[in-house]
Amino acid sequence: MGSQRLSDIEDISQRRRNQAELAAPRPGRTAPPDIEVIAYSAWPGTDPKVRVRVYRPAGSGAPSPCLYYIHGDGLVPGSAGSDDAKASWLAQAVGCVVVSAEYRLAPENPYPAAVDDRFAGLRWLAGSPHELGIDPDRIALHGSSAGGCLAAATALLARDRGGPAIAHLMLISPMLDDRCPTASHGTNTGFRAWSRGANIQAWQAYLGKVFGTDRVPAYAAPARADDLAGLPPTYVDVGDLDLFRDEAVDFAHRMMRAGVPVELHVHPGGIHGGETLAPEADLSARVRSYRLGALRRALFAQPSGRPSPSAQWSG
């Protein structure tokens, strides 16, 4: 990690600069040449406007499955542009359209700004299949770290509001519980990628005055949801040395008990964001292969006898 000091948030402006430095293009992280990137200044009906980028493999047919990509970085820094190479790579590797967009960051824009932006984006996707060339029955949500928080929250909102339908939910080392209650919050915090202190600071920035109270809603911190039934089939993975290990595993187990199909992986030796920090490591290659396999199965193999996921939502 060098001197980038990404394990804490001593100064928000500096943290954002450090995050941008880490995400800057470097050898091995450039976008594939056969991906068409379409930039939108905003999707209709959002206020304030948010920037959108659509990644489409060259020659892909329509309608294509769609992966709604939600960037991470702790709810305070980060941008869709900082994950440009990741989104392009997913579009190529999975063979689907990937849509990535900005969301408003804390503390300038506390909850519910980011969740509102994510849900507005989902509605835009599901309502624009012809414009985007996508299949509204095959929309998956993908979120890592803070993006996992927003992906889970968006899935809860879609369930409770009757749509749009989500075919699959992928949560990568998800940040789910503002209470930081588990053992892994105390033991897995020494790897300079994301500390318990930074995690608390991020939740404080995001939740504002309700931080530390019982008034935090499940749409802000999905681990607080009492009922997880009705969520889409979900893939969860986390490293066993990740700060978020216990809350991710607990969330997966609770979904299973609620009847949600879940694929759960806990990777020995994995730290938070390790596959990005050490992309050539054997573990990183295995992690990527598991995720790609899950996405391909979810988006290209509709199980027989199951209803279309968008059958109950009309836009």
Side-chain angles (χ1 to χ4, degrees):
M1 300 299 295
S3 61
Q4 291 165 314
R5 297 189 60 78
L6 293 177
S7 63
D8 51 29
I9 311 176
E10 293 180 353
D11 176 85
I12 288 176
S13 296
Q14 185 60 47
R15 169 75 194 207
R16 289 170 176 166
R17 288 191 291 270
N18 291 346
Q19 196 73 38
E21 179 184 344
L22 179 67
R26 63 188 67 189
R29 297 188 188 180
T30 56
D34 55 347
I35 298 297
E36 178 187 15
V37 182
I38 306 167
Y40 291 78
S41 60
W43 50 53
T46 58
D47 185 24
K49 303 300 184 182
V50 292
R51 292 174 293 176
V52 185
R53 292 173 71 83
V54 177
Y55 306 80
R56 178 183 295 278
S60 64
S64 294
C66 179
L67 184 64
Y68 186 25
Y69 182 92
I70 304 176
H71 74 79
D73 302 332
L75 300 168
V76 174
S79 68
S82 66
D83 278 8
D84 185 70
K86 291 181 183 178
S88 296
W89 180 82
L90 279 167
Q92 181 190 58
V94 179
C96 68
V97 172
V98 174
V99 176
S100 179
E102 304 293 327
Y103 54 83
R104 287 170 286 170
L105 299 173
E108 296 90 341
N109 301 283
Y111 172 83
V115 177
D116 286 348
D117 291 347
R118 296 305 87 223
F119 188 68
L122 178 63
R123 289 178 61 89
W124 176 72
L125 281 178
S128 308
H130 300 297
E131 177 183 355
L132 297 174
I134 64 170
D135 181 353
D137 290 337
R138 293 184 291 168
I139 296 175
L141 267 61
H142 177 296
S144 61
S145 191
C149 169
L150 297 176
T154 301
L156 288 168
L157 273 173
R159 179 199 66 180
D160 296 344
R161 296 181 181 179
I166 299 167
H168 186 73
L169 177 61
M170 178 163 279
L171 304 178
I172 307 302
S173 302
M175 175 184 177
L176 300 168
D177 199 334
D178 62 294
R179 297 162 294 191
C180 305
T182 67
S184 62
H185 282 94
T187 59
N188 293 349
T189 190
F191 302 101
R192 302 188 69 185
W194 189 246
S195 69
R196 185 175 187 274
N199 197 50
I200 291 172
Q201 288 174 284
W203 280 116
Q204 288 173 326
Y206 183 55
L207 297 175
K209 293 181 180 179
V210 301
F211 175 80
T213 74
D214 292 332
R215 301 195 306 274
V216 176
Y219 302 134
R224 289 180 177 259
D226 294 326
D227 181 13
L228 299 179
L231 288 176
T234 299
Y235 174 100
V236 180
D237 82 13
V238 68
D240 74 335
L241 300 179
D242 194 316
L243 181 81
F244 298 135
R245 180 196 65 202
D246 295 347
E247 64 195 74
V249 170
D250 179 66
F251 197 74
H253 285 172
R254 291 179 57 215
M255 282 192 290
M256 292 178 197
R257 292 193 293 270
V260 178
V262 175
E263 179 178 347
L264 170 65
H265 295 269
V266 181
H267 302 291
I271 67 170
H272 192 71
E275 70 280 0
T276 298
L277 301 173
E280 303 304 319
D282 290 344
L283 175 58
S284 300
R286 291 197 302 275
V287 166
R288 289 192 295 269
S289 70
Y290 292 143
R291 294 173 187 171
L292 289 177
L295 287 171
R296 290 167 179 156
R297 290 191 300 273
L299 294 175
F300 291 95
Q302 180 71 37
S304 61
R306 298 185 67 177
S308 164
S310 66
Q312 303 302 314
W313 190 72
S314 58

